[in-house]
Amino acid sequence: MARRRTARQPALPTVLVLPAAALLLLALGYPLARQVVLSLQEFGLAQQFGRPPEWVGLGNYRALVGDSYLWAVVLRTVAFCFVNAALTMGIGVGIALLMTRMSRWVRIAVQSGLLLTWATPVVAAMIVWQFLFDTQYGVVNSLLTTLGADYDGHAWLAEPLSFFTVATMVVVWMSVPFVVFTTYAALTQVSDDVVEAAEIDGAGAWQRFVHVVLPTVRPVLLVVLLLQVIWDLRVFTQIYTLQKAGGITRDTNLLGTYIYTLGIKGGDFGTAAAAAMFMLLLTVVLTAPYIRIMFRQEET
Amino acid sequence: MVRNKRLLAIAAIAALLSVTSACGSDDKESATSGGPEEADMVVWLNGADTPQAARDWLKETFEKEHPGSTLTIEEQEWDGLVERLTTALSSEDQTPDVVEVGNTQAPTFTTAGAFSDLTDDLEELGGDDLLPGFVEGATVDGRTYAVPYYAGSTYVFYRKDLFDKAGLEVPRTMDEFVATATALKAANPQDDFSGYWLPGQDWRDGAAFLWDAGGDFAAPDGDGWKGTLSTPESIEGLTTFQTLFEDASGAPADANEADPVTPFCAGKIGMMSRPGWVMGLLTDPEAGCPDLAEKVGVFALPGSDGEPAPVLLGGSDIAVAAQTPNQDLARDIVALMLSDEYQGILAENGLTPARQSLTSLLGDDEFAQATIEAASNAKLTPAAANWATVEGTRILEDLFSQIAQGGDVEELAAEADERITAELN
């Protein structure tokens, strides 16, 4: 029987949470409300400089839904997000498991490398990646050519598929450290006694991993996966930079860059806001299952 | 659950950290509508076009004439300029005071009300002496919102020594030009050597071939505009571009024209279309290669009829940001930038001055001649109000790059037409 501790709740926790909640409301609530309003208006460059906007109801949405290009971009975005989140999780968890078996010095070396990757500013990293894959002076082309393959002057970013391969490498490279650190931290919490007991009971390495280790770190993995899906869904900087370096913009737009193209580049902020609502919806739809699982875990 | 509380705490800390400090402006306010008498002024200049001597002169002169004020020049990249102007100009706190904007990009901002009305200052700034095409381009309903800064069309730089070695002469017609470029490439058969350097995304230089064949990007259609890249004339021009790229260029199909210096100084370029000020970069002892630059000759790209080909009338406007509180000071800066001294420095560096009476300052060497000849038949991009969004959304970079990659010209042109029509109306 639970003790009736909840009868008089102290006010302190509520007070402590208030500033954060107020900030969240200000930092997220205002832009969100503004976005909804914007998506119902014809809002172009002239409005940006003070002309009153015109209400168009759902006109922006109608124009978007009727354009098959939006759906192509949505599909591309979802596919890119899944592939990247899956690869990041797979590689990240793999390295984390490996780290539990490493000797101390090797582990410190690996951790330092990962930390540096994590700490590199995106734009600085992108300059290095662009140089690696440059058509004319790129290191990758030069290496492959030295090895005997004919990659002299190969344009990596010209074809959409090859463009996204490079983009995936960059995105995964940047996100793996976070997964490794979080997963490794969780793995150190797995009780040695339990694992040993399972071993004595005759469980093989794979069985121990699936039935003992995995359930213990599951909550952490779920949170990390959730974050990963959200991050890969709204990936922007990497795609934007690679597009400028040579990708065909129209064939390589993901939702993030598409919204940017519509709004900031194309000066049509109303339609851009409507497209951003799609992105919000997509995020909610894709992450809802995880959030539900997470809540269910909290209850038990 | 403990973990739950910890998560909450982390969220709270993250929220607190994410509050960014707003940067306030400390300019002294005054009651007059023209803004304060002293302020820290910010001027946006784009790319390496404006020579350092001109920048130094502007800063010194302005600060001497306005004690207490300062002038900072912030250099912006041409690439992505429309986006940066769109965001910066609309905020009173963030806006630069004076901006340089490409002449073809100006209409988008002038029609949106992003620039201050300069009509009343026009007479003082040069009046009819100002380059007419530029003033027209920046005029909406009889009011002028930007003034010319400089003009500069590209002309052809060529390596005299390579021409001699291959036994080639300066071409006089478009056909001869294509043949010369191809022959030069054949005489220097490395993969990355360019008989004529033509990076795939370079639609601004590609435009000359489109226009020479009688084509264009768009034409007025009823009340609006229509893409015209798939007319037979346009297709012919785009095909010439493709041929040149395939047979004569060693530049990547997915690169832009921002850096001609590296390949030129590596000896990989026989001919290239560049604005006159690029010569300054080539002769620079540190960034350039003076020994190769000595072997450069120049000529205006010839058209099919033997006259100079219609190249893009390049150049810049300057404008005062409508949102800046320092209106009077900003206008003083614009006046300085159109003065004889400042424009003289630009002319010495191969940029055509904004005032016609100063053209003689260009001198009379072969560079001056090529500049004047190239400008004689230069053309502007379509005068549609939304043209800058066509540039901003990279429709033309996509098109030319895909053509350079060997795509089907007719199909690609038809697609581009649809997108241009959609952006312009």
Side-chain angles (χ1 to χ4, degrees), chain A residues 21 71 82 94 114 135 170 173 177 203 225 237 242 258 293:
Chain A
W71 301 110
F82 281 165
L114 288 169
T135 307
V170 179
W173 174 80
L225 182 63
T237 318
L242 288 177
Y258 179 49
I293 297 173

Side-chain angles (χ1 to χ4, degrees), chain A residues 48 135 240 249-250 260 265, chain B residues 4 83 90 108 254 392 398:
Chain A
Q48 175 96 331
T135 307
Y240 179 73
T249 312
R250 191 174 166 79
Y260 188 78
K265 285 187 186 174
Chain B
N4 198 13
E83 301 144 61
S90 59
T108 293
D254 59 348
D398 282 7

Side-chain angles (χ1 to χ4, degrees), chain B residues 1-204:
Chain B
M1 200 171 163
V2 181
R3 188 177 286 118
N4 198 13
K5 278 189 191 146
R6 201 171 297 151
L7 265 178
L8 211 60
I10 290 170
I13 291 166
L16 283 170
L17 286 177
S18 71
V19 184
T20 51
S21 59
C23 19
S25 117
D26 55 358
D27 295 335
K28 290 173 199 159
E29 294 294 329
S30 97
T32 59
S33 63
E37 277 167 29
E38 290 174 19
D40 297 326
M41 304 296 285
V42 174
V43 178
W44 276 18
L45 294 181
N46 311 324
D49 316 20
T50 305
Q52 190 58 42
R55 298 173 195 228
D56 294 343
W57 182 89
L58 182 64
K59 186 174 164 61
E60 272 166 36
T61 315
F62 177 79
E63 291 179 356
K64 201 159 61 190
E65 289 180 6
H66 299 86
S69 297
T70 63
L71 185 151
T72 311
I73 293 176
E74 293 179 357
E75 183 171 316
Q76 304 293 320
E77 267 181 75
W78 277 111
D79 201 16
L81 180 68
V82 174
E83 301 144 61
R84 249 169 288 129
L85 286 175
T86 303
T87 41
L89 286 175
S90 59
S91 145
E92 202 179 308
D93 299 332
Q94 318 257 318
T95 182
D97 302 287
V98 175
V99 297
E100 173 189 1
V101 58
N103 58 333
T104 60
Q105 301 166 333
T108 293
F109 296 101
T110 55
T111 50
F115 297 150
S116 297
D117 190 345
L118 295 177
T119 317
D120 299 333
D121 303 71
L122 215 50
E123 212 44 55
E124 208 176 302
L125 293 171
D128 291 343
D129 194 20
L130 294 168
L131 294 170
F134 283 63
V135 177
E136 276 159 39
T139 301
V140 188
D141 298 332
R143 312 297 294 177
T144 305
Y145 295 92
V147 287
Y149 178 37
Y150 65 78
S153 295
T154 64
Y155 46 78
V156 182
F157 289 57
Y158 73 102
R159 285 266 303 273
K160 289 177 182 163
D161 56 326
L162 296 180
F163 265 51
D164 286 347
K165 216 163 76 185
L168 294 166
E169 287 189 8
V170 171
R172 277 155 310 181
T173 65
M174 179 60 80
D175 288 343
E176 282 182 29
F177 175 78
V178 176
T180 308
T182 315
L184 198 55
K185 166 93 178 166
N188 298 271
Q190 305 120 305
D191 266 352
D192 52 358
F193 180 86
S194 295
Y196 176 58
W197 187 68
L198 191 58
Q201 293 186 356
D202 186 9
W203 65 269
R204 289 183 178 81

Side-chain angles (χ1 to χ4, degrees), chain B residues 276-307:
Chain B
W277 54 265
V278 167
M279 196 59 201
L281 301 181
L282 298 182
T283 48
D284 186 282
E286 273 171 40
C289 43
D291 49 325
L292 279 184
E294 261 174 37
K295 296 169 183 158
V296 164
V298 294
F299 59 89
L301 181 73
S304 295
D305 54 3
E307 295 296 307

